[in-house]
Amino acid sequence: MTLTMEGVLALAPDEASAKAARGLTSLAKWPLLGADDAAVWGECQGSGSKPYQTQVDLSGPAFRCSCPSRKFPCKHGLALLMLRAQDASKFSGGEPPAWVAEWLASRGERAQKKEERDQKAADRAAERAVQLADGVDPAQAASALADPEGATKREAQRWRRIEEAAGELQRWLGDQIGRGLGALDDAAIRGWRTMAARMVDAQAPGLGQRLTAAADGWRAGADWPERMLARLGLLQLACEAIGRREALPAAVQADLRTVCGWPLDQAEVLATGERLTDRWTVIGVIVEERDARLNERRVWLHGARSGRRAWLLDHTHGGRGFEGLWLPGSGKDLTLVFYPGGAPLRALVADEAPSTEPASTEAAAGVTPQAWSAEWERVAQRIAAHPFASLHPVVLANATPVASDAGPHLTAEGRAVPLRLGDEDWWSLMAVSGAHPLDVMGEWDGVRLSPLTAWAAGSARPLWTRSAA
């Protein structure tokens, strides 16, 4: 630390201590003065026969003195730092005396133990954040095993809170539409965020997140009223469905639970979910950073025999890497277990058979060159079955990247699909295509396609993959 008189005086507990310290800055009162990069120490002659041993750890600063004063720092510690600030040349160097070295060592041990405890706590918090993001709550699972009847009761209580919150949100939505989106201002948007927080308090964080996303879209782009109205319409649909939840099929109830931000436990999915064994080809991979240093990896798969698509979702925290290597274009023999829902897509790997076979061209491409209409029909069917789904895997064959005044597009047969892609990735995709058609896989969010992988016609290996987010 850099010592100045002003800085030392700022450490004084009161004016009396500062005044007393100034009276001790005579070198005659200090038969021993020493310092190194870590600490300053000295012996100050007091009224007794034995001088007071005073020491300061500069990393804090932290003080220790053998005097009986109850003030912290005491006048001796302040005076020692004042002397150091006035003239550092009066302090000898070399090894500190034993009473200083022992104190610094004990402080170092305590600091190390605290750092280890903090790291363990951070690791536990990170592990829990990842588990919750992936739909695993160990405490909830252990409680359910120990007390299944109590777990059922707690689940029913949570659904009641969610139903009450959904009813309140539905009435609030009616008020907002009644006022009109044109009447929105900063104060009204703050009210939206307050309502979103109430959904979180009611254990329906998913509803709160969707409302927050709608608020974030206010005045963002020329078409913000249309997009905001669509988001509010889906919230209204969710509220109506929650109100009549028990009358809905089990698959739709599972989707509603996800919409509310209440994920299913992975152990339950593995025990009860639909299983499918196939030759799965990796058609797209993306890693994105979420809140609080939480990283999300989405792996998109295509089944060679079943024609099914699957989505593997993983999370890590604090810069840790992901387990498993998923390379676009590679194939694996896997047994997947799908999460329940109206249009099952998310899955877990239940079993992996060792295989080194390269992926087939058909599996990598995913569709035949004439299948744009079939691909969009697949998306339409999934939206009809699960209107709350935010991402859809799409593979577009014979698509040519084209730049226009409206932004980057993929075009084929007189049709165009707008893209959501950074400049660096866009220009590399353009360069790879060389104005020739490619087979492109991406995530469709209802407005734009985010390309992840591109192949040349007839090739099983990708020519282009999106860079890390």
Side-chain angles (χ1 to χ4, degrees), residues 3-372:
L3 290 173
T4 63
M5 287 296 293
E6 293 78 6
V8 174
L9 290 172
L11 298 172
D14 51 43
E15 182 57 34
S17 297
K19 183 177 180 180
R22 291 191 188 96
L24 295 175
T25 55
S26 171
L27 291 175
K29 295 183 178 292
W30 295 85
L32 172 66
L33 289 172
D36 60 14
D37 293 338
V40 179
W41 58 87
E43 292 183 346
C44 183
Q45 189 62 54
S47 57
S49 59
K50 186 177 181 179
Y52 297 123
Q53 293 178 336
T54 307
Q55 49 202 309
V56 181
D57 183 345
L58 296 176
S59 64
F63 296 80
R64 187 181 187 186
C65 185
S66 60
C67 75
S69 175
R70 296 183 178 179
K71 293 184 178 181
F72 187 84
C74 67
K75 61 184 179 181
H76 305 101
L78 292 170
L80 182 63
L81 288 187
M82 288 180 181
L83 286 169
R84 181 69 174 174
Q86 289 172 350
D87 190 353
S89 66
K90 302 300 183 181
F91 289 72
S92 63
E95 293 293 326
W99 51 275
V100 177
E102 291 172 1
W103 179 62
L104 291 176
S106 65
R107 281 181 53 79
E109 290 176 3
R110 289 196 298 271
Q112 182 177 358
K113 290 179 179 178
K114 181 180 184 301
E115 183 179 352
E116 290 174 355
R117 289 195 302 270
D118 292 345
Q119 184 60 51
K120 289 179 180 178
D123 289 343
R124 288 194 297 269
E127 182 180 359
R128 180 166 175 79
V130 171
Q131 290 170 335
L132 291 175
D134 286 337
V136 182
D137 188 341
Q140 180 180 342
S143 175
L145 289 173
D147 183 13
E149 184 176 346
T152 301
K153 183 178 179 180
R154 287 190 293 272
E155 181 172 338
Q157 290 174 341
R158 180 167 180 177
W159 270 122
R160 282 196 295 271
R161 286 193 290 269
I162 292 175
E163 288 168 2
E164 291 174 359
E168 180 183 3
L169 177 59
Q170 192 169 19
R171 292 188 293 272
W172 180 88
L173 287 169
D175 292 340
Q176 305 312 304
I177 297 302
R179 293 190 186 97
L181 298 184
L184 289 176
D185 55 18
D186 290 329
I189 293 298
R190 286 196 296 271
W192 286 39
R193 301 191 189 282
T194 300
M195 176 57 70
R198 295 179 69 169
M199 295 299 105
V200 175
D201 293 340
Q203 293 185 290
L207 297 181
Q209 291 168 1
R210 288 173 180 268
L211 184 54
T212 299
D216 291 341
W218 179 52
R219 293 183 176 178
D223 61 341
W224 72 263
E226 178 183 349
R227 289 184 287 105
M228 179 177 284
L229 191 60
R231 291 182 181 273
L232 297 184
L234 284 175
L235 276 172
Q236 169 69 14
L237 181 63
C239 291
E240 289 185 2
I242 291 170
R244 51 190 292 267
R245 175 181 59 86
E246 295 183 351
L248 298 174
V252 179
Q253 291 189 37
D255 286 333
L256 281 179
R257 178 169 169 154
T258 302
V259 169
C260 292
W262 186 4
L264 291 170
D265 185 80
Q266 287 188 357
E268 181 180 349
V269 175
L270 289 171
T272 62
E274 173 198 3
R275 290 176 173 257
L276 179 60
T277 300
D278 203 338
R279 175 69 173 174
W280 296 95
T281 299
V282 182
I283 57 175
V285 179
I286 183 171
V287 176
E288 292 182 333
E289 183 176 358
R290 299 301 187 186
D291 296 335
R293 300 175 65 203
L294 183 70
N295 292 326
E296 176 178 295
R297 180 178 69 177
R298 299 188 296 276
V299 179
W300 297 98
L301 306 174
H302 180 89
R305 295 185 294 273
S306 65
R308 290 276 296 271
R309 302 272 168 80
W311 169 37
L312 306 181
L313 182 65
D314 296 301
H315 295 89
T316 64
H317 189 273
R320 290 178 174 83
F322 290 95
E323 294 184 3
L325 183 62
W326 300 91
L327 298 177
S330 63
K332 295 184 179 183
D333 294 316
L334 305 171
T335 297
L336 301 184
V337 181
F338 286 85
Y339 280 71
L345 191 61
R346 186 182 175 187
L348 299 171
V349 177
D351 184 50
E352 177 177 351
S355 176
T356 58
E357 297 178 17
S360 68
T361 301
E362 181 182 356
V367 292
T368 60
Q370 295 80 29
W372 268 48

